[in-house]
Amino acid sequence: ADAGLNIAKVVSYCSPYHPGFIHDASSTFFSAIQTVLPGHILTVDANKSTSRCYVAFQPERWSNLKSPHEYTEVLRSKFFKAVGQCIPSELDNIGFHLSGGLDSSSVSSVARRLWREKALHTFHIVAQSQSSNETEYAEAVAQSIGSFHHLIHPPSNDLEALELSTRLLGQPETNFLSPASNHEIISSA
């Protein structure tokens, strides 16, 4: 079937700040193809497809918290629960991307605390420029949590990976990492 090019989305994508994304988040580069909205789950069967929201922010739920200690405990509990829900209990080996930054270091550290008995693998993409190199930080976290640490060197097939990624996603990825690095880390994992 001919999906047809969505010229408006291509123009919007190529303009600064992607202004069309906010108002038209489900469209792709192809007129007949839509993407799942952020925070939604798409269910497809032989007869129909349905999309439902699984994230609803309700700030009033936290109005009872009064002290920094209370906020800290609630955040800690929610964070541990969120990381814990990511891994099926029957897995013996688990893995996480470890950039060396605060987010991935926190997730990897919580994973180690939750699953002390499991083999924990961390994957770090070595930066191509010294100014963005966080390898030292990633290695320090990996050593601290006792993970099997894997260094992933960026591949040189960016154009091939961009083409594959665009075909799979229906549009180019807007991501800090190149599609080739994303494919390499997934293959290594």
Side-chain angles (χ1 to χ4, degrees), residues 6 20 28 33 41 58 77 90 101-102 139 161:
N6 181 349
T28 68
I33 299 173
I41 294 175
Q58 300 168 332
S77 171
E90 66 273 5
L102 183 59
E139 288 176 337

Side-chain angles (χ1 to χ4, degrees), residues 40-57:
H40 285 70
I41 294 175
L42 179 67
T43 306
V44 179
D45 64 29
N47 300 315
K48 66 179 180 185
S49 65
T50 57
S51 176
R52 71 176 173 82
C53 181
Y54 72 89
V55 174
F57 294 103

Side-chain angles (χ1 to χ4, degrees), residues 58-120:
Q58 300 168 332
E60 64 276 4
R61 289 179 56 200
W62 317 114
S63 61
N64 63 319
L65 303 177
K66 304 296 181 214
S67 71
H69 177 73
E70 289 177 288
Y71 282 105
T72 302
E73 286 306 310
V74 168
L75 176 62
R76 180 186 180 284
S77 171
K78 296 288 183 191
F79 189 64
F80 270 70
K81 182 179 178 183
V83 174
Q85 290 177 334
C86 292
I87 303 296
S89 59
E90 66 273 5
L91 294 178
D92 292 327
N93 293 296
I94 57 176
F96 293 89
H97 175 240
L98 178 56
S99 69
L102 183 59
D103 295 348
S104 65
S105 297
S106 298
V107 170
S108 297
S109 297
V110 166
R112 171 47 72 217
R113 293 200 52 200
L114 289 172
W115 299 290
R116 295 182 194 278
E117 73 289 350
K118 294 184 185 288
L120 174 62

Side-chain angles (χ1 to χ4, degrees), residues 114-177:
L114 289 172
W115 299 290
R116 295 182 194 278
E117 73 289 350
K118 294 184 185 288
L120 174 62
H121 294 264
T122 50
F123 300 88
H124 175 76
I125 299 174
V126 178
Q128 293 179 348
S129 72
Q130 195 55 37
S131 64
S132 62
N133 188 350
E134 295 183 339
T135 302
E136 182 180 332
Y137 303 115
E139 288 176 337
V141 171
Q143 183 177 3
S144 174
I145 64 174
S147 68
F148 297 101
H149 193 55
H150 308 273
L151 297 178
I152 311 298
H153 294 277
S156 59
N157 64 337
D158 279 326
L159 193 54
E160 292 169 31
L162 177 62
E163 182 182 358
L164 173 63
S165 176
T166 303
R167 278 187 290 147
L168 293 172
L169 299 174
Q171 61 192 30
E173 281 184 284
T174 52
N175 198 334
F176 178 74
L177 298 174

